[in-house]
Amino acid sequence: AKSILMSQGDFGSSMFGILDGIVSVIFVDPHERENPVATLSAGQVVGEMALLTGERRTATVVARTNVVALEITKPAVEQIFAKAPDLVESFAATLAIRRAMLDQIAADHNRQLRKMLVRQIRTVFSGILAEAEGQETTACGSVRSSTDRSWMNLKGDQRPL
């Protein structure tokens, strides 16, 4: 238990069919936070994304219990596809589901990152932002004061409303 079966970022020349035991699939985000993606057990495969797409491994897989797994290499998959080419569709469906899970984690991370950056920017520019309260900024970068009803672009040129 707690053994790493594969690590995010590694190249993958095989996938594993889990015969017995439980593994956790974990995506490590750019801030080194571990995000649980899935828990897999007997009858499921892991590591197929890297093997089938040629991309690096997109997650780390850790054994939660003692695991017995069958390693399935690229030559073995080639033999399987030669006899049952329709399996490509099944694998693609599984890949699409798993990719969507990773994309959701990335989207959640981006939302959190954006909120954190907004807080940091507001802290750095807190003085000017406090002064700007009561003013609206237009999409073109002009500022309209809610009190004097005139427009001023960021170059300082004024023009009437």
Side-chain angles (χ1 to χ4, degrees):
K2 296 293 181 186
S3 297
I4 296 176
L5 279 68
M6 61 190 69
S7 296
Q8 182 174 326
D10 288 352
F11 289 103
S13 59
S14 61
M15 64 183 185
F16 297 86
I18 302 169
L19 303 176
D20 189 34
I22 299 171
V23 299
S24 292
V25 181
I26 301 163
F27 171 73
V28 180
D29 67 31
H31 294 287
E32 301 297 320
R33 289 185 297 236
E34 293 184 354
N35 299 277
V37 176
T39 300
L40 305 174
S41 58
Q44 296 180 294
V45 295
V46 66
E48 74 287 349
M49 199 175 292
L51 173 65
L52 298 173
T53 66
E55 298 173 358
R56 290 179 182 254
R57 301 229 184 253
T58 55
T60 296
V61 178
V62 179
R64 290 181 47 196
T65 65
N66 289 331
V67 174
V68 177
L70 173 67
E71 182 174 20
I72 305 165
T73 62
K74 184 177 180 185
V77 173
E78 288 172 345
Q79 289 178 8
I80 292 168
F81 286 161
K83 293 183 193 284
D86 292 344
L87 282 177
V88 169
E89 293 293 329
S90 296
F91 277 111
T94 299
L95 291 181
I97 291 167
R98 292 188 177 172
R99 180 64 55 103
M101 292 160 79
L102 291 174
D103 289 348
Q104 182 60 49
I105 290 169
D108 291 346
H109 169 72
N110 285 339
R111 280 190 290 277
Q112 292 172 357
L113 180 60
R114 182 173 176 249
K115 287 179 182 178
M116 180 193 70
L117 291 171
V118 165
R119 283 193 302 272
Q120 286 178 326
I121 292 167
R122 288 188 185 283
T123 299
V124 170
F125 294 98
S126 61
I128 193 68
L129 291 172
E131 291 175 21
E133 282 183 6
Q135 295 181 346
E136 300 172 21
T137 303
T138 66
C140 63
S142 298
V143 176
R144 183 179 89 176
S145 170
S146 60
T147 56
D148 68 9
R149 307 288 295 160
S150 66
W151 286 91
M152 181 187 315
N153 65 26
L154 296 182
K155 293 180 185 171
D157 302 324
Q158 289 194 4
R159 51 186 179 222
L161 182 62

